[in-house]
Amino acid sequence: MYTTVRCGAYRAAVLTMLLACIGHEKGLTAAPDAVDPATSPAALKTLTLEELSQIEVTTPSRQPEQAFRSPVAIYVITGDEIRRSGVRTIPDALRLAPGVEVAQIDANKWSVGIRGFGSRLSRSVLVMIDGRTVYTELFAGTYWEVQNVMLEDVDRIEVIRGPGGTIWGPNAVNGVINIITKNSQDTQGWLASAGGGNVEQGFLNVRYGGNAGDNLTYRLYGMAFTRGPEYHQDHDNFDDWRAVQGGFRMDWRPGARDTLTVQGDIYTEAAGERVSATSYAPPYSENVDGNADLGGGNVLARWQRKFSKGDDIQVQAYYDRTSRFEPNLAEIRNTYDVDFQNHLVEPGRQDITWGLGTRVSNGEDLPVVSGLRFLPPRRNDYLVTAFFQDQFELVKDHVWLTVGTKLLRTNFTGVEPQPSVRLLWQPTSKQSLWTGFTHAVRTPSDADREFALLGYIETLPSGIPYLARFNPNANFAPEQVNGYEAGYRRFFARNLYLDLAAFYNHYHDLFSEDITGPTYLETTPLPEHYLLPAQFRNDLLGYTKGVEISPAWRPVHFWRLQGSYSFLHMNLTKAPGTPEIGTVLGIEGSSPRHQATVSSGLNLGKSFKLDLTYRFVSGLAAMNVPAYSTGDANFSWQVSRDLSFSVVGSNLLQPRHGEFAGDPGPTVEIRRNGYLSVTWTK
Amino acid sequence: MKAMRARRVHQRYMLYALLAFLPARLIAAAQPANQGAPEYQIKAAFLLNFTKFVEWPPSAFSSPSAPLEICILGDDPFGPALDQMVEGEAVNDHKLVVRRIHGKPSGGCQVLFAESSESELDEVLGSLGPGVLTVGDGETSLSRGVVISFVLEHRRVRFDISQRAAAKEELKLSSKLLSVARSVPN
């Protein structure tokens, strides 16, 4: 009793710290960018036959009209936007989309969230690269530091906010991030880029794209980088990062109807980190600085056949292997996935998409410290999905109704239906209104169900340690959301566009941390210790609501201005009468209430470009991270057709600032960063 | 009197054309050379351009002022681009118009475009009278009997010409068109 009272105050902190120690899929288009005047139909028609023969074909994401007509909150970050911003990682590129909260934890870790619930692994966001899910069943989420893509070859990143993207895959509770690389047809020839600076110490990317006959194109690439540590108050610069990656993509079009794509990547990394390692033996808990040795590879094949009328069939299969060796945890995981999809069009009336998919993922966890264990250490996770979606044209050219559902079954759950209803009204060709309802679930992961996680509270005067442990919970249930959304889009003129979206998400059965019984003396494993038993359960509920506004304006053809503002209000509570330890404030206080960005892209004559971005992020109360505003700049010079130089600066408005307290110890601060780069193409 | 008015109207159109043309041209010139465009916008511009380098037999038009129809058989890959380009354009008093058709056209259709995946293509090609500039898409469409076929080469849109098909359609192709073509198999 004495200990319980005495340690009551510690509980919340310790249990939250326990979590801290483990660190905690389809095409649409760009913010309908006012059409580029140089390639507008009006400009093209004035060209001669010879000039037309010289224009490179781009493969557009899809027509802007399609994003304009999507009944979901979507923003497409184009490859061009990414390259012009000068960012070097996918999470930093995601800052370009409204409603996405990106906070850098240290040199190689980010917290990414959509409409709240930002966390290092982005638990409720589905992330895919070229149709391959990179969301891991281990801790439910995405290890962003191993999702490297050669940014020159990125076609676009589609970001769907809210549960509207549920049919593309499981766990798209708060959003989908779909990273799509270019077809190898569009990456022909040589490209090499290299550069370096103070934080971005050095990078080299090389790609070659070739063809074999008229119907087969391919590319090979290799990339490597080394990145220095961010700022540490205690000068413990643990977060340096080095990576090497290579890969290929081949696109073969044996006939007019068929396309076969085969692609793969392989990588190895050393990402410095500070983790907390807990064990039953003294010193029970310590922060360890060391490298996470990360490696992996994947290969994917996708066959698509198109029929007249717009019908198509697609079959895709992939294999993905990841290995992580961290100072407190190690895992090797092999994932096999097969998907089938069929699209049936009845012009002017219906547009049906349905599909089936299955995935098997086996993870093997190797013991590193006694305080972090998966039980059993070798596990097979599987899931089977089916989805069906039908879009009806209720009023020709004006009103569309989309209904659909996804059915999901995993080794942890029964069949979970995830229905969605959406309505789009386009009163004129210049404006559209949409609204939608979706029910979605986040499926339990190994960490929710089969994880034993130990934390150290204190050593009692008797010399016996007092520990707390999250025990596996075989009853952990899927997290549930009912999402209500609406949006409005309008072209005020050919060069002025506005996108508005508002949402209300109601959650229940959310992940919680519960104390499950009184402290007792445990004798196995030795040495004997007092143990406060705990579990991950589903005892939180509540709602989030918010608004996202993103205007785009092109006052003149060489200048593009873009802005976004996102407001988020989170209101969570623990289910009455449950022994939840009080994580609500921590969750609510880890997502910014206000975010705003303004960016300007200016073409100065034929050869110079200047891109400037200003961003404001409000403070994170739970992490003691104050509000900040900072700016990025990229000045680039196209010396000749083959050669260009860039000077990039990020986080320019102050020497350093904190964004997220995600590592044990003092908050790592993000430094002002500058680098120079040169790009050569042939 | 009538002739004078016609000339004035013509001049006005010339001016409009110039106004529309100049800024676009300047903007195009101001862009870096490697600026790209969507495939079907380029193809639409080609289609429009072809009409200037082809001479149709008089029988192809019902009257000297009848419109010159660019017909798209089946699926329309151009979206609004072709309509935007054709708007207000004319060739030798024939106003250009775009028509979307399914199955065999009933007259008109001086230009007929079809994607190679179009199942009706062979059937429609067999049923056409002379005077139709048939344009196909992809390497294989020339062998199916079209006059001009778009091909992609090094990410650029090029075209091949079948002179035999052109002769069969009684079309006269300008030497300019033949010289820009990628290949003109015999």
Side-chain angles (χ1 to χ4, degrees):
Chain A
M1 193 60 215
Y2 164 77
T3 45
T4 315
V5 174
R6 165 105 201 265
C7 299
Y10 285 93
R11 282 183 187 169
V14 168
L15 292 177
T16 309
M17 194 197 73
L18 290 184
L19 274 186
C21 81
I22 56 165
H24 289 326
E25 300 164 38
K26 252 171 194 192
L28 301 125
T29 201
D33 185 5
V35 181
D36 194 326
T39 58
S40 70
L44 284 175
K45 68 186 270 190
T46 66
L47 302 182
T48 64
L49 287 171
E50 288 94 338
E51 284 167 333
L52 283 172
S53 306
Q54 285 309 312
I55 292 190
E56 254 183 55
V57 171
T58 58
T59 317
S61 310
R62 286 206 186 166
Q63 296 308 310
E65 295 83 60
Q66 249 170 317
F68 180 65
R69 282 176 32 183
S70 307
V72 288
I74 181 165
Y75 183 86
V76 179
I77 307 167
T78 62
D80 193 48
E81 248 181 292
I82 294 171
R83 289 179 282 278
R84 289 193 67 151
S85 69
V87 299
R88 301 236 39 97
T89 63
I90 294 285
D92 282 324
L94 294 172
R95 295 183 199 264
L96 300 167
V100 180
E101 37 182 274
V102 179
Q104 197 174 341
I105 298 170
D106 59 35
N108 57 51
K109 293 180 196 66
W110 289 261
S111 161
V112 177
I114 298 179
R115 292 181 172 176
F117 301 95
S119 68
R120 179 184 163 201
L121 293 183
S122 317
R123 189 172 75 207
S124 344
V125 177
L126 170 67
V127 183
M128 294 184 294
I129 301 178
D130 285 335
R132 174 175 55 92
T133 297
V134 297
Y135 186 99
T136 171
E137 271 91 358
L138 177 65
F139 278 120
T142 299
Y143 282 110
W144 288 102
E145 70 272 21
V146 293
Q147 314 310 335
N148 291 304
V149 182
M150 191 164 144
L151 293 176
E152 285 89 345
D153 289 349
V154 170
D155 182 68
R156 64 188 188 275
I157 303 176
E158 300 168 349
V159 179
I160 297 172
R161 310 185 297 276
T166 308
I167 68 157
W168 306 128
N171 305 315
V173 168
N174 283 344
V176 180
I177 294 172
N178 195 9
I179 300 155
I180 297 160
T181 68
K182 290 179 182 173
N183 191 303
S184 58
Q185 223 178 341
D186 297 327
T187 55
Q188 292 287 291
W190 283 98
L191 182 146
S193 65
N198 63 329
V199 178
E200 206 63 65
Q201 293 171 333
F203 61 86
L204 173 66
N205 296 335
V206 180
R207 173 251 287 160
Y208 173 72
N211 66 311
D214 290 326
N215 299 329
L216 192 150
T217 52
Y218 62 88
R219 72 165 170 261
L220 302 165
Y221 78 91
M223 58 190 277
F225 62 83
T226 171
R227 193 181 242 224
E230 297 292 350
Y231 180 82
H232 301 258
Q233 271 173 35
D234 54 7
H235 303 292
D236 243 334
N237 298 332
F238 57 78
D239 55 336
D240 52 335
W241 186 21
R242 285 170 301 285
V244 180
Q245 182 169 323
F248 73 98
R249 172 167 172 155
M250 181 217 76
D251 296 278
W252 181 40
R253 289 160 297 277
R257 298 189 306 174
D258 297 283
T259 313
L260 176 71
T261 301
V262 181
Q263 64 186 99
D265 308 276
I266 188 163
Y267 64 88
T268 177
E269 289 185 19
E273 63 180 5
R274 167 176 288 174
V275 293
S276 134
T278 52
S279 60
Y280 294 93
Y284 309 114
S285 173
E286 58 179 336
N287 287 340
V288 183
D289 293 355
N291 272 340
D293 289 312
L294 312 170
N298 62 79
V299 57
L300 173 144
R302 179 171 47 242
W303 168 75
Q304 191 181 38
R305 168 165 282 189
K306 286 187 176 164
F307 300 96
S308 57
K309 285 201 315 182
D311 295 2
D312 61 68
I313 283 186
Q314 183 178 305
V315 181
Q316 172 185 291
Y318 68 79
Y319 163 69
D320 184 295
R321 179 185 172 85
T322 61
S323 63
R324 304 186 67 83
F325 294 92
E326 298 189 57
N328 62 348
L329 187 77
E331 193 214 35
I332 296 168
R333 178 170 289 268
N334 292 292
T335 303
Y336 308 83
D337 183 292
V338 181
D339 284 289
F340 166 85
Q341 191 180 306
N342 182 205
H343 182 205
L344 298 162
V345 184
E346 223 181 299
R349 289 168 62 191
Q350 288 193 53
D351 200 317
I352 296 171
T353 316
W354 67 280
L356 300 168
T358 183
R359 183 183 313 151
V360 176
S361 184
N362 60 66
E364 181 186 353
D365 289 278
L366 312 168
V368 181
V369 295
S370 59
L372 277 85
R373 287 290 166 83
F374 282 86
L375 305 165
R378 283 164 186 268
R379 296 170 322 283
N380 257 318
D381 298 321
Y382 74 85
L383 67 86
V384 181
T385 63
F387 76 88
F388 175 87
Q389 177 178 291
D390 193 354
Q391 181 180 299
F392 304 89
E393 192 162 1
L394 290 185
V395 180
K396 192 168 163 32
D397 295 333
H398 289 293
V399 183
W400 293 264
L401 175 70
T402 309
V403 292
T405 190
K406 187 172 187 86
L407 296 170
L408 176 70
R409 193 184 194 298
T410 77
N411 49 315
F412 294 128
T413 60
V415 175
E416 294 282 341
Q418 302 186 70
S420 170
V421 185
R422 274 159 199 278
L423 190 73
L424 177 81
W425 177 39
Q426 201 177 325
T428 70
S429 63
K430 299 272 185 261
Q431 51 185 325
S432 64
L433 281 136
W434 61 269
T435 181
F437 164 79
T438 312
H439 172 74
V441 300
R442 200 271 294 177
T443 60
S445 69
D446 295 346
D448 303 318
R449 299 276 283 243
E450 298 173 333
F451 194 31
L453 174 59
L454 190 72
Y456 167 71
I457 300 171
E458 64 168 353
T459 302
L460 301 177
S462 55
I464 299 179
Y466 182 26
L467 307 173
R469 187 176 63 223
F470 285 102
N471 292 310
N473 177 6
N475 296 318
F476 190 90
E479 295 182 298
Q480 316 260 343
V481 64
N482 288 323
Y484 307 84
E485 300 175 84
Y488 177 63
R489 299 186 178 100
R490 179 163 186 179
F491 284 100
F492 286 93
R494 208 171 138 271
N495 59 0
L496 180 62
Y497 177 72
L498 182 70
D499 188 332
L500 277 170
F503 66 92
Y504 175 86
N505 287 336
H506 185 266
Y507 298 88
H508 58 103
D509 290 350
L510 277 180
F511 178 93
S512 64
E513 300 169 23
D514 292 34
I515 289 168
T516 53
T519 301
Y520 63 97
L521 188 71
E522 193 180 56
T523 50
T524 45
L526 283 169
E528 61 176 19
H529 49 268
Y530 284 103
L531 187 83
L532 175 66
Q535 257 182 350
F536 299 135
R537 289 191 177 170
N538 301 90
D539 289 339
L540 295 186
L541 55 110
Y543 67 88
T544 60
K545 60 184 180 182
V547 181
E548 294 121 8
I549 303 167
S550 45
W553 183 37
R554 195 162 202 151
V556 278
H557 75 269
F558 53 85
W559 190 27
R560 183 167 194 268
L561 277 168
Q562 211 168 350
S564 75
Y565 167 73
S566 318
F567 168 77
L568 170 72
H569 174 73
M570 298 180 80
N571 189 339
L572 305 179
T573 53
K574 67 173 192 173
T578 57
E580 217 280 333
I581 60 168
T583 51
V584 161
L585 289 177
I587 301 170
E588 289 178 354
S590 300
S591 291
R593 198 172 168 84
H594 306 278
Q595 287 197 100
T597 59
V598 181
S599 65
S600 149
L602 187 62
N603 292 352
L604 299 157
K606 273 187 188 180
S607 11
F608 298 99
K609 284 178 189 163
L610 178 64
D611 288 87
L612 301 170
T613 306
Y614 166 86
R615 57 197 155 88
F616 167 81
V617 181
S618 66
L620 304 180
M623 317 206 133
N624 231 346
V625 170
Y628 70 90
S629 56
T630 192
D632 306 327
N634 179 10
F635 181 72
S636 66
W637 175 30
Q638 187 80 37
V639 183
S640 68
R641 208 187 155 92
D642 305 334
L643 189 67
S644 67
F645 289 97
S646 287
V647 189
V648 177
S650 52
N651 307 315
L652 291 171
L653 300 191
Q654 59 281 97
R656 56 179 195 266
H657 69 280
E659 295 190 0
F660 201 87
D663 288 325
T667 302
V668 179
E669 291 179 86
I670 309 308
R671 289 154 60 188
R672 182 184 282 153
N673 174 22
Y675 73 86
L676 277 166
S677 78
V678 54
T679 305
W680 171 81
T681 53
K682 188 79 189 166
Chain B
M1 183 66 191
K2 204 176 162 189
M4 238 170 82
R5 208 164 76 207
R7 187 176 297 160
R8 201 168 295 150
V9 169
H10 183 72
Q11 278 173 348
R12 218 163 71 202
Y13 278 135
M14 284 278 290
L15 202 66
Y16 282 160
L18 266 174
L19 281 176
F21 165 94
L22 258 176
R25 214 34 201 264
L26 280 176
I27 291 160
Q31 294 293 327
N34 56 5
Q35 196 84 35
E39 179 178 340
Y40 279 90
Q41 293 201 4
I42 301 174
K43 287 180 177 173
F46 267 116
L47 276 186
L48 177 68
N49 243 303
F50 290 157
T51 60
K52 298 170 189 163
F53 299 100
V54 174
E55 204 178 300
W56 275 266
S59 64
F61 296 94
S62 55
S63 76
S65 61
L68 193 162
E69 292 184 339
I70 300 177
C71 296
I72 302 162
L73 177 66
D75 280 349
D76 175 8
F78 299 105
L82 187 61
D83 301 76
Q84 285 168 23
M85 288 184 192
V86 158
E87 173 103 48
E89 293 288 323
V91 173
N92 300 329
D93 291 341
H94 299 294
K95 187 171 173 291
L96 292 187
V97 294
V98 179
R99 206 172 110 193
R100 286 154 182 93
I101 59 168
H102 292 273
K104 185 180 171 298
S106 51
C109 287
Q110 286 75 18
V111 179
L112 184 127
F113 172 86
E115 284 190 288
S116 50
S117 56
E118 210 44 65
S119 49
E120 302 168 316
L121 178 61
D122 295 307
E123 187 192 333
V124 170
L125 279 176
S127 70
L128 291 172
V132 181
L133 176 69
T134 48
V135 182
D137 214 0
E139 303 276 351
T140 54
S141 58
L142 218 54
S143 61
R144 290 166 78 176
V146 301
V147 179
I148 299 181
S149 167
F150 286 124
V151 288
L152 280 181
E153 190 183 68
H154 304 302
R155 296 185 59 202
R156 272 134 183 113
V157 177
R158 304 295 307 276
F159 57 92
D160 296 342
I161 293 178
S162 160
Q163 283 192 296
R164 195 169 46 192
K168 187 171 152 260
E169 294 290 342
E170 299 172 22
L171 301 171
K172 279 190 198 147
L173 308 185
S174 84
S175 57
K176 170 87 176 170
L177 195 63
L178 294 169
S179 70
V180 179
R182 183 186 71 157
S183 75
V184 186
N186 289 313

